Structure formats: C-alpha cells, structure tokens
Amino acid sequence: MVSGHLFHCRKNSWPPEEYISKNTLHLFDFDSAAPPEHAWRRKLNSHANLLREFSVTFREAIKMVRLGIRLWSYIREEASHGRKAPIDPFTRESCKPSAAQGVPLGGMGSGSISRGFRGEFRQWQIIPGICKGSPVMANQFSIFISREGTNKNYASVLAPGHHEGLGKADDQGISSWGWNLGGQHSTYHALFPRAWTIYDGEPDPELKISCRQISPFIPHNYRESSLPTAVFVYTLVNTGKERAKVSLLFTWANSIGGVSHLSGDHVNEPFIGEDGVSGVLLHHKTAKGNPPVTFAIAACETQNVSVSVLPCFGLSEGSTTTAKEMWNKMVQDGQFGRDNFNSGPCMSSSPGETLCAAVAATAWVEPHGKCTVAFGVSWSSPKIKFLKGSSYHRRYTKFYGTSERAAQDLVHDALTNYKRWEEDIEKWQSPILRDETLPEWYKFTLFNELYFLVAGGTVWIDSPLPATNIPDNRHQLTNVENTDVKVSEAEVNSNHNAVVEHTATGCQRSAHLDPQIANEDVGRFLYLEGVEYIMWNTYDVHFYASFALLELFPKIELNIQRDFAKAVLSEDGRKVKFLAEGNWGIRKVRGAVPHDLGTHDPWNEMNAYNIHDTSKWKDLNPKFVLQVYRDFSATGDMSFGVDVWPAVRAAMEYMEQFDRDNDGLIENDGFPDQTYDAWTVHGVSAYCGCLWLAALQAAAAMALQLGDKAFAEWCKTKFLKAKPSFEEKLWNGSYFNYDSGSSSNSKSIQADQLAGQWYTASSGLPSLFDDFKIESSLQKIYDFNVMKVKGGKMGAVNGMHPNGKVDESCMQSREIWTGVTYGVAALMILAGKEKEAFATAEGIFIAGWSEDGFGYAFQTPEGWTMDGHFRSLIYMRPLSIWGMQCALNMPKAILEAPQINIMDRIHLSSVSSRSSHNETEKS
C-alpha cells in the first residue's frame, strides 16, 4: 500500500549519510567500496509490497468479450504445440510480483538473473522468452565470524528473511541456516550496472561490510558487454580490538529458476584455476530439449584469502551432505577441506533432488584492518534454440568458444578484470553524475532504467548481418548534382567501407561511432517488448526505447534498423487469424514495417502480434523512416544510409494507400491502428498525422543527402499539401485534437500528440509547426495531462478531456505510460521547457521508483492507472528516458549547423513531382 504522503512530499536528494553513518562511509572511502553519492537506496528491512495489477472496467470487458474468447482459443492452441503465446493475460506466475527488485547480473544478450535489493537471486531468464520470477532461496551469501581470544561468534545469511520452516529442529534444508540479519542497519545502493550493500555492524557490531556487485555493461564495448558474468567484491573493516577470522560463503543451486532444479541429471564439479580463481562448475541439463547451461561460482585466492569448496550438498535428508551439515561445518571450521578440490564430478542428481554447491573464502582481519574478498558467478549457455527450430550461438562465444565449460574462463576473467570495468563505468557515468544542473533523482534513474537492456530478455547472437538489398536502380544514388553527399558507384557497392564527401548541412550530426569498432561485426540483437509481452524488437515501442541503444551501443542500433529494412522488403504469405475482428490476412505484407521480429523464430517468422493486422497500422512505417534518419544523421554512417534507403522509399510509398482524400495526409481507419492498440482513432489523428509529417521531412532530407532528387521532390510536394491540412483539421487554438472524428474523445488532449515533432527536433530538422503551436500544445499537456493527475506526481496520463477529466474511453486512454511520459519530457527539453520537462518525468520517479511510491523500481511497467495498478512489468518503452539525455546533450554538429529549412533546399522541377516519381520508378 502506498503511503498517504506520496503526493504531498517531494524529496530532492538522497545523500548516503541518511542511510549510513558518516564514520562508516569514511571507513569505506577507498577502492570503490563506499556507495556513490547518487544512487537509488533502500534499507534491507524495507517492506516489499505486493504489486497490484490493473483490471478492466465492466464496459471495457464487454467490448473485449469476442477478443478474449479468440485469444483464449489461440493460447490453448499454442500450448498444445508446447509453445507460449506472446500475449497471455489469463496465466499468472505462482510468484506474485513484489517491490523487491534490484540491479540484474551480467552483460547483455546471454541470459539474465536479477538480484533483489535484499539479496535474493530472482527473475531468471536463461532460456529466451521464459522468465521465472521466484527467487532461488538457496543462492545466498553468508558470513561466519570468530574473534581471537573471545567467545564472540557470529553466523548469518547476509539477507533478511523469514524462510518457511525457519527454526525447525529437524529441518535439513536452508531453513536450518542462520537467518539472523534484521536489516535495519544494512542498506542497498543501486547505480546500474553496479550495486552496493552496506552492512553497518550487522551481524557483528564491530565489523563493517561492503559488498559491491559489478557487471560488464560498458557503453561502446561490444565484447565485454556481452559477457554472462558478475563479480561481488566484499570489503571488510574490523573496528574491534580483536583479530577476526571472517569466512564468507557463496552457495548456489543447480537451477535456472522455477522448479528446474528438480528435473535431474545435474552434475557439479570443483575446479582450481589460474591466478587463484577456484570454485565449482554446476552443469545443468536443461529440460524439454533446451540447450544445457553451466554455472561457475568462484572466489579469488590471495596471500590473505584462502578458498575452499563443497562441490555438492542437498536440501533434504538422504543427501550425501545436507544443507544443515554444510552450515554446521562452516560454523565450526569456517572452511571446507582442501581435498574437496580433488573429488571430481559428483553423481548426477535424481529427479526431485536439489543439487547445490558452496564456495568459501576465509581471511584474518587485523584490529582496525581492512580486507577484500572477491567472488564471481558466470553462466555459459552457448547455444540458443528457438521453439520453431532456428538455433544460434550467443555473442560471447565469439570470444570464449562454444563449450559450456567456458563458464570457468568467464568467471576467471571477471575476477581479474573487474577493476578495469569499474574504471570504464565511472568514466562513462561521472560527467552526468557531476552535472549540478540535473535533478538528483534524474541522475540515478537515468542509469537504473538501463536495467532493461540486461533484464529485458535480451538475446545477442554471433551472426553476420543478412545481405543488404541494393536496388537495381542504384544509379539514382550516384553523382547527382546539387546534393550534399556524393557517392560513387564503387562506393555504393562497397557497403561497409564507403568513403563519402560531406558538406556542411543542418542535418549532419557528430558521429557517435568509435573508429576502432566502425567495421566490427557486432552480431544481431533482440530484446523483448516486456516479460509479459513476449515479442522481439517490438518496433512501435523501440521507437521510444532506441535512444538508449543509439547513445550507448550505436552499432547494435544500426543493425536492428538493418534487420527491419530487410523485413520491409520481404513478404510472408502464410495466413494468420487476427483476433480483434476474427478476420484472416497474411503474416507479413511487402512494404509494411513489421510490428515485431517474431517470438518463436525471430527474423524468420515476424509479426508474432496477432491482435490486429499491423500491415494496416499507421505509425509503424513513419516510425521506421524517422528512426532511420535519426540514426543516419547521428552516426554519419553513409554505408548504413545506402543499405536501408530502398526500404525507406518502400515504407513511404506503402503509406500512400492511406491518403484517401488526396490531401497528402494519412487517415486512420476507425480501429486502434497504432501503438495505442486499444484506443480507437477516426480520420486524421494527431499522433499518426504528426508522425507522417515528420517522416515526409526526414525522408526528403535523407533523399537529398543520398542524391535521390526525384524522391525528395515527391516528399516535399506531399508535405506542402499535408501540413496545412493537418493544422486545419486538428488545431483548435491551443493544442491538436486527438482526431478529426466526431466521437466523444475526438477533442481529447493526447500526451503523445507531438511524437513526430520530438523526432524532428532530435534529428536536427526544422520544426514541423511554428513555435507558438508547439509551446501551447506542450503547456496544455503539462497543465492538464500532468498536473491534473495527483498534482503532477504520477506522470502524464495518455488522454485528458478539455474539461479536465481523464479520458476513460478505453483502458489505454486512462493509463499513464511511463515511456511516453519520458518522451514528452524529452520534447519539452528540446522546446526550451526544461522546468516542465523534469517536473513531468519526476512523476514517474515519484510513483514508480521513490521509497513512498508503488514499488516499480527495476521493473518499470508499460503503465499504471491513477490508483497505481500496473500493466506489463519490466517493459521496454521506459528506456526513452535516454531521449531526455539526448535532448540535453545535443551533438555539437547540430547546435552549430546553419538553420536552413531542408524543404527550402529541395527545388521542385517543372514536371510534376508525381510524374517525376513515376518516371524514376520506371527508369
């Protein structure tokens, strides 16, 4: 339950001194052991509320009865083939979601494991598209302390917990362990991709403990950012007068989440590696024919730290060694026998038996002395297999090979390289964290929202890009007069090494690409729309999220666009039933941008989404053109522009069919034919119409730079007709109406009405409308959609009537969409309204991330209702907060470029642009 003062109190800073004593902070002021000044913080004894899911109203339910019946039937049909439907609102995980998440482990694309702020390893996504939310409670860090010459002894799991069966005398499982940590003096500090847990005198009042979690998420580093590994560095400070023997214990179950530990045939084996890195390999034989996984847990032996292992123990009576016996051994000796390293692989587990392993690191800490102990975990599942047959090798195998035993090399390299990773992470984050003009909450939320690029079910494969589609009429792109970029025939044919001649224009941006990796093949990348909407690279949502990839991993972003460019020019004639209306169509229409790259066979079977026929959606094609132009101008990658240009033209030409009155504008068709797929649109809409105007301008600019003059003229002609028509039909004097229809919500104020202008401004193109219309619309959105909802403390509601009442025509109109709110804030920044921008976006922080909020940290949902009920946790769109950062940090090339209207540089020929376009097509 959200506390009553959520909407009445604003806190502008979260200094660590409010959570940890200054003396303790001073003790950790070395070797990155102290938590950062800017971080998301929680006390370990904070209550983790159960989250509340949205429900539809009776009226909405009546409207969706037929859809619900068809969806239920489709879900059952998929289940009969052993597949999970991409959208399944009827099945719920047995583990109810709670406000307990934290920074996930590992890099991108090799499976992920999240770690809650209280220490639980949860949210397992090792198999693509399958998420197991429940924590594996045997996976823990524990500590054992004895002080020389005294009877002071402490033994505790380093996580607060009230485990079921705790304290039962005859229990042989983890309930027999010492769950003694209260958590009131322990705190968690998150700044993705790192996290710190500080135990300020728990369980030993005279031992201060810092554990920092480090994962290799390093922008522009396409090698180490793909590695499935993480490090936990414990810093121990003894404030007592006696020498202390401290043993840290890392336990791990042979499991990939859920009940996978019970499937049998799992094997553990110890290893001693190089540089003192020693531990246990846990070989997991994955059920249902999925590729196997091997975990490695390890610690680093040093002059002061000795490492020992127990390769196998079980959680029930009858195990060779039980969890209780393992614990008692550690209480008594603080370590295991060295001969365990020579025991070899253990017997494979039987079905129903849980197999676990333990690594202990023991050190003496002198009075007022310090000691560092490092643990690592890695997992190696080199092959991924999608349910309909296609298999690939993960990106990290390019560097570590395709053996599951690579887990040992991964954990070794993590334990020997983590300090360099931290240096790179700090170098990346410091300029933003030190910027005193930025609000405190924004600094750490900006980085923490990146959790999705690890925990969002990402897949990164070591696979070259598909062959690009160079059209037969390539001469259109060569040596055309009056263009800004001249590309020779030889250069067009040399896609990845084009040398181009640039002139100064208002459309070029400074390249983000590192020259050292400009020609590097970085493979192919997928991420889910959300863990509840299992579709890869959902494009209407990527439109918002892609700012993060463009800023941090631009080569990945370009490759995603190349995948969609190829998809635009392809067709898949297989029949699909669309569930909203029950009609049939083909899976993928040529010229249409797919909604997604698929679910069970991505790249090969696209459009897993089958609620509506997305070939009739009005936002996907303009969004493709806008993203391509933004990425083209941001990176200055001419070979990319040449590669995707045929698809840009095809995508624009495809949209002509939706201009039914020949006014240059596309019209919506009286159903939810855009990303708001439950919100019906009639006639011309603010959202899709604005995107279309922006796409015409972007396509014209790109055509001009690539030398396709005829197409630039066609775009300009369309734009000159469409813009006045758009303003005439939708501008009402203070904002653009939702649509030009006559429904009860046609005059609603849509928060996202200027999405096209957002991209126009982000790409360095001239504004679509005069400054008054942009400023007035944004002010209206701020005054109504933001400030009239709980005083601005929840974000921007999607729809608001001009009388100040929320538009409740459907569930999406009354929702606050987190990613859209960040996008609106980004446009406000670009329009010079920074105060309103940060106040708007802060609503998402207050309601979602703050200590008094609803508890959506590290699982930001698609949206929430005004009472805080969520829809679709762990969702892609909130990555759009990086659109705010891009707006704040516009490239120098744009800021200094002459302000020349791109349309003014396109001179229409005496022949009509329509006939010019047709002649070009035939030539």
Side-chain angles (χ1 to χ4, degrees):
M1 191 71 183
V2 180
S3 65
H5 67 278
L6 168 61
F7 304 115
H8 305 285
C9 167
R10 177 176 298 183
K11 186 176 181 181
N12 293 311
S13 68
W14 292 262
E17 306 88 61
E18 289 190 12
Y19 294 79
I20 311 168
S21 69
K22 289 186 177 181
N23 182 51
T24 299
L25 285 171
H26 178 72
L27 292 173
F28 286 130
D29 192 18
F30 71 101
D31 192 32
S32 300
E37 181 181 352
H38 310 285
W40 181 86
R41 312 188 199 278
R42 285 292 180 276
K43 285 190 176 292
L44 265 59
N45 66 341
S46 296
H47 180 63
N49 302 319
L50 289 178
L51 306 181
R52 299 177 297 170
E53 193 165 14
F54 84 106
S55 58
V56 296
T57 65
F58 179 76
R59 185 179 68 173
E60 290 164 354
I62 293 297
K63 286 182 179 179
M64 293 190 288
V65 164
R66 290 188 178 89
L67 168 60
I69 293 171
R70 295 186 193 107
L71 183 56
W72 172 250
S73 177
Y74 169 69
I75 290 166
R76 292 183 64 185
E77 172 68 16
E78 286 292 282
S80 71
H81 296 290
R83 299 190 294 262
K84 183 174 172 62
I87 302 175
D88 180 0
F90 305 108
T91 305
R92 285 287 167 263
E93 285 280 336
S94 57
C95 171
K96 291 187 178 296
S98 66
Q101 300 287 14
V103 175
L105 310 179
M108 300 188 296
S110 294
S112 69
I113 307 163
S114 290
R115 192 171 186 230
F117 72 84
R118 293 184 296 193
E120 314 100 325
F121 293 88
R122 57 195 308 138
Q123 216 70 38
W124 296 71
Q125 294 186 84
I126 303 298
I127 299 172
I130 297 177
C131 180
K132 299 295 182 182
S134 302
V136 176
M137 293 302 293
N139 295 5
Q140 297 288 348
F141 285 100
S142 303
I143 195 164
F144 304 84
I145 307 159
S146 60
R147 290 191 172 269
E148 200 171 47
T150 74
N151 59 358
K152 296 177 182 177
N153 297 295
Y154 305 90
S156 180
V157 179
L158 284 174
H162 300 286
H163 195 269
E164 186 178 348
L166 184 65
K168 289 183 179 178
D170 59 347
D171 184 77
Q172 300 298 308
I174 64 172
S175 295
S176 64
W177 296 356
W179 297 86
N180 305 317
L181 196 81
Q184 65 269 27
H185 301 299
S186 301
T187 53
Y188 179 84
H189 312 257
L191 187 64
F192 178 88
R194 296 190 292 172
W196 291 253
T197 306
I198 306 298
Y199 304 89
D200 194 358
E202 286 189 281
D204 180 347
E206 296 180 320
L207 186 70
K208 310 295 185 182
I209 307 165
S210 165
C211 170
R212 75 183 186 277
Q213 171 188 315
I214 307 147
S215 292
F217 182 98
I218 305 166
H220 306 283
N221 184 328
Y222 295 86
R223 181 185 189 277
E224 286 166 308
S225 296
S226 73
L227 305 185
T229 187
V231 173
F232 303 90
V233 181
Y234 280 85
T235 303
L236 310 171
V237 180
N238 182 4
T239 62
K241 298 177 181 178
E242 308 90 11
R243 190 174 180 229
K245 181 183 179 183
V246 181
S247 295
L248 288 159
L249 177 71
F250 189 19
T251 52
W252 198 262
N254 197 322
S255 168
I256 58 170
V259 295
S260 60
H261 53 289
L262 302 176
S263 57
D265 283 337
H266 311 313
V267 176
N268 296 352
E269 66 169 310
F271 68 87
I272 297 178
E274 298 177 353
D275 302 313
V277 175
S278 302
V280 182
L281 295 173
L282 299 89
H283 305 289
H284 186 87
K285 185 176 181 181
T286 309
K288 299 182 180 179
N290 283 301
V293 182
T294 293
F295 292 94
I297 58 170
C300 193
E301 195 159 73
T302 66
Q303 187 174 359
N304 189 41
V305 178
S306 62
V307 176
S308 59
V309 301
L310 182 63
C312 304
F313 70 90
L315 303 184
S316 59
E317 195 169 354
S319 304
T320 305
T321 302
T322 66
K324 184 175 184 178
E325 290 166 343
M326 182 278 299
W327 185 267
N328 290 341
K329 172 71 172 173
M330 286 299 298
V331 169
Q332 181 178 336
D333 299 335
Q335 59 193 26
F336 303 113
R338 294 289 296 182
D339 56 346
N340 286 349
F341 281 114
N342 303 319
S343 61
C346 69
M347 292 280 291
S348 60
S349 63
S350 302
E353 176 188 8
T354 302
L355 190 62
C356 303
V359 175
T362 305
W364 284 96
V365 188
E366 299 298 326
H368 307 293
K370 301 173 182 179
C371 180
T372 298
V373 179
F375 290 90
V377 61
S378 66
W379 53 99
S380 179
S381 184
K383 187 178 181 181
I384 57 173
K385 180 182 179 183
F386 291 100
L387 282 179
K388 289 193 175 179
S390 296
S391 296
Y392 306 91
H393 283 120
R394 298 190 192 262
R395 164 76 173 167
Y396 79 89
T397 63
K398 185 180 182 74
F399 318 108
Y400 284 84
T402 57
S403 166
E404 290 92 26
R405 299 187 71 89
Q408 182 176 336
D409 294 329
L410 282 160
V411 79
H412 168 272
D413 289 356
L415 284 167
T416 53
N417 290 325
Y418 72 85
K419 289 186 178 181
R420 177 173 53 79
W421 296 348
E422 286 194 287
E423 289 174 1
D424 291 343
I425 292 166
E426 288 172 1
K427 183 178 179 181
W428 157 48
Q429 294 183 335
S430 288
I432 293 172
L433 297 175
R434 292 174 181 169
D435 187 342
E436 295 182 358
T437 66
L438 298 176
E440 176 85 3
W441 65 266
Y442 172 79
K443 295 177 185 180
F444 57 81
T445 306
L446 177 72
F447 292 112
N448 284 334
E449 286 284 18
L450 291 172
Y451 85 94
F452 189 84
L453 289 176
V454 173
T458 52
V459 169
W460 193 357
I461 65 169
D462 176 30
S463 173
L465 283 171
T468 52
N469 289 271
I470 300 297
D472 292 334
N473 53 349
R474 278 176 291 185
H475 61 273
Q476 291 181 49
L477 307 183
T478 64
N479 296 327
V480 181
E481 293 181 359
N482 301 318
T483 61
D484 297 307
V485 179
K486 299 183 176 67
V487 187
S488 72
E489 180 71 20
E491 288 162 350
V492 170
N493 287 326
S494 179
N495 294 327
H496 298 290
N497 297 288
V499 178
V500 296
E501 185 181 322
H502 293 270
T503 62
T505 78
C507 307
Q508 290 294 325
R509 288 173 70 173
S510 301
H512 284 279
L513 297 182
D514 184 335
Q516 292 181 341
I517 55 94
N519 296 315
E520 179 185 2
D521 176 11
V522 300
R524 301 170 84 181
F525 188 85
L526 300 169
Y527 62 149
L528 291 175
E529 179 177 338
V531 297
E532 297 176 38
Y533 296 162
I534 308 170
M535 294 165 282
W536 301 109
N537 292 7
T538 299
Y539 201 74
D540 55 309
V541 184
H542 181 67
F543 175 79
Y544 298 83
S546 58
F547 282 90
L549 285 174
L550 177 62
E551 182 71 20
L552 305 176
F553 297 96
K555 293 289 282 186
I556 288 177
E557 167 63 11
L558 296 189
N559 282 0
I560 289 175
Q561 303 296 20
R562 285 187 172 101
D563 279 332
F564 275 92
K566 181 174 183 288
V568 167
L569 300 175
S570 70
E571 183 159 303
D572 185 341
R574 287 175 286 184
K575 293 290 185 179
V576 174
K577 184 177 183 179
F578 301 111
L579 303 179
E581 301 296 334
N583 57 319
W584 290 79
I586 69 171
R587 179 172 289 278
K588 169 65 181 69
V589 176
R590 190 183 192 280
V593 173
H595 171 274
D596 55 81
L597 291 182
T599 290
H600 299 306
D601 196 8
W603 297 296
N604 299 316
E605 186 180 270
M606 292 170 283
N607 281 333
Y609 178 92
N610 60 351
I611 305 297
H612 300 288
D613 181 355
T614 59
S615 69
K616 298 177 181 177
W617 276 19
K618 310 308 184 295
D619 62 336
L620 288 167
N621 282 38
K623 284 176 174 176
F624 170 71
V625 174
L626 288 170
Q627 287 186 73
V628 162
Y629 182 73
R630 179 204 58 190
D631 297 349
F632 173 64
S633 61
T635 62
D637 188 330
M638 188 56 59
S639 67
F640 166 73
V642 171
D643 284 351
V644 300
W645 178 243
V648 171
R649 282 191 53 158
M652 292 297 290
E653 289 160 356
Y654 180 85
M655 297 302 290
E656 276 198 277
Q657 64 183 296
F658 302 121
D659 177 12
R660 298 185 176 89
D661 58 2
N662 197 33
D663 66 348
L665 274 178
I666 58 173
E667 286 89 40
N668 294 84
D669 283 326
F671 75 101
D673 49 357
Q674 25 79 47
T675 194
Y676 300 89
D677 59 349
W679 197 358
T680 298
V681 200
H682 300 277
V684 175
S685 71
Y687 184 68
C688 296
C690 186
L691 289 171
W692 174 241
L693 290 177
L696 285 168
Q697 186 170 244
M702 193 167 180
L704 197 64
Q705 292 175 70
L706 291 174
D708 194 343
K709 182 180 178 182
F711 195 75
E713 291 184 9
W714 180 80
C715 291
K716 178 174 180 177
T717 302
K718 283 276 186 187
F719 182 85
L720 293 177
K721 289 178 67 177
K723 180 182 173 181
S725 180
F726 179 86
E727 294 184 337
E728 178 186 348
K729 292 179 178 180
L730 296 179
W731 179 250
N732 63 22
S734 61
Y735 65 94
F736 294 98
N737 289 337
Y738 176 67
D739 65 28
S740 62
S742 56
S743 62
S744 62
N745 68 327
S746 288
K747 290 183 169 56
S748 284
I749 307 160
Q750 185 180 14
D752 216 2
Q753 63 186 264
L754 291 176
Q757 172 59 27
W758 173 30
Y759 259 71
T760 293
S762 298
S763 304
L765 292 169
S767 293
L768 296 174
F769 313 109
D770 61 53
D771 290 346
F772 169 75
K773 289 187 175 70
I774 295 171
E775 196 278 335
S776 175
S777 298
L778 290 175
Q779 192 63 45
K780 194 78 172 182
I781 292 165
Y782 179 73
D783 291 342
F784 280 69
N785 300 60
V786 178
M787 296 307 295
K788 288 186 182 296
V789 179
K790 306 292 186 183
K793 306 301 190 296
M794 293 195 77
V797 70
N798 284 335
M800 178 71 80
H801 289 297
N803 64 3
K805 293 184 178 180
V806 170
D807 181 348
E808 297 194 352
S809 55
C810 71
M811 69 177 187
Q812 290 177 342
S813 63
R814 61 184 169 91
E815 287 179 329
I816 293 152
W817 280 11
T818 52
V820 167
T821 299
Y822 287 143
V824 170
L827 176 54
M828 288 176 172
I829 292 169
L830 291 164
K833 299 173 75 67
E834 285 196 16
K835 180 181 176 182
E836 291 87 347
F838 284 113
T840 296
E842 188 180 14
I844 301 302
F845 169 78
I846 293 171
W849 286 80
S850 75
E851 196 155 6
D852 295 317
F854 298 112
Y856 296 128
F858 300 101
Q859 51 189 334
T860 317
E862 158 74 306
W864 47 66
T865 56
M866 283 172 289
D867 56 4
H869 291 206
F870 74 86
R871 184 169 61 79
S872 187
L873 290 174
I874 309 182
Y875 196 78
M876 179 198 292
R877 203 179 326 242
L879 285 170
S880 60
I881 192 173
W882 280 85
M884 295 178 66
Q885 188 58 27
C886 289
L888 290 165
N889 189 32
M890 290 288 281
K892 186 178 179 182
I894 287 183
L895 295 173
E896 296 182 353
Q899 297 299 306
I900 302 172
N901 192 318
I902 195 72
M903 292 300 183
D904 293 342
R905 297 174 57 238
I906 301 171
H907 304 287
L908 298 177
S909 60
S910 56
V911 183
S912 75
S913 61
R914 178 69 256 177
S915 58
S916 295
H917 181 50
N918 285 333
E919 289 170 10
T920 301
E921 286 290 295
K922 294 172 185 175
S923 62

